[in-house]
């Protein structure tokens, strides 16, 4: 049986799951379609750290909501990183939390062509 890619998008890793759950794809009569709002037809390159994003439950616990990926080219995430609700990722984004550090991307943040490293925690008061 041959199934066209429009009906089947393999999800082998949580990086694939991030793409499928994002606003890059819509479901149209049982077929996954690239959003017409995306300016180019290629999918972004997504690299999520093995230790903190390996299984689905750990992956889901790190997102307040799945970020907007419509304008994303490439994202690399490594270490203890969490994303708030309504985050938008654009261009090339690299987020690296060093061993023992934690990075919390705040709700509503727009990261465009950024490198975030070290330790970042923004707390509501």
């Amino acid at each position: 049986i041959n199934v066209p890619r429009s009906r089947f998008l393999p999800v082998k890793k949580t990086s694939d799951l991030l793409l499928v759950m994002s606003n890059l794809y819509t479901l149209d009569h049982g077929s996954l379609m690239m959003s017409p709002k995306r300016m180019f037809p290629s999918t972004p390159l997504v690299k999520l750290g093995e230790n903190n994003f390996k299984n689905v439950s750990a992956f889901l616990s790190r997102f307040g909501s799945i970020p907007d990926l419509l304008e994303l080219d490439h994202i690399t995430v490594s270490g203890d990183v969490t994303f708030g609700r309504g985050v938008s990722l654009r261009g090339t984004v690299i987020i690296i939390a060093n061993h023992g550090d934690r990075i919390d991307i705040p709700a509503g943040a727009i990261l465009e062509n950024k490198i975030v490293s070290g330790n970042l925690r923004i707390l509501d008061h």
Side-chain angles (χ1 to χ4, degrees):
I1 297 175
N2 288 330
V3 179
R5 284 279 178 206
S6 64
R7 292 194 46 126
F8 172 72
L9 192 64
V11 176
K12 297 178 182 178
K13 295 184 173 187
T14 54
S15 56
D16 301 325
L17 183 61
L18 178 63
L19 291 171
V20 171
M21 291 179 69
S22 76
N23 58 348
L24 281 175
Y25 293 99
T26 57
L27 194 58
D28 183 27
H29 295 79
S31 294
L32 286 172
M33 305 297 289
M34 180 74 72
S35 172
K37 295 178 184 176
R38 183 155 170 90
M39 290 186 279
F40 24 89
S42 62
T43 58
L45 176 61
V46 177
K47 296 180 182 178
L48 300 177
E50 289 293 318
N51 293 337
N52 295 292
F53 292 87
K54 187 169 185 161
N55 64 51
V56 173
S57 61
F59 165 84
L60 292 173
S61 72
R62 298 196 167 272
F63 294 95
S65 66
I66 299 299
D68 172 358
L69 305 182
L70 281 176
E71 297 179 44
L72 182 69
D73 295 324
H74 170 197
I75 184 165
T76 297
V77 180
S78 178
D80 188 3
V81 178
T82 60
F83 295 82
R85 296 186 67 75
V87 171
S88 182
L89 304 172
R90 301 174 183 169
T92 297
V93 177
I94 300 170
I95 306 170
I96 300 171
N98 298 324
H99 181 74
D101 289 339
R102 178 175 167 172
I103 296 177
D104 294 327
I105 305 301
I110 298 172
L111 298 179
E112 184 170 0
N113 297 318
K114 299 288 184 208
I115 297 174
V116 180
S117 66
N119 189 12
L120 173 66
R121 303 214 49 201
I122 299 174
L123 305 172
D124 291 331
H125 63 282

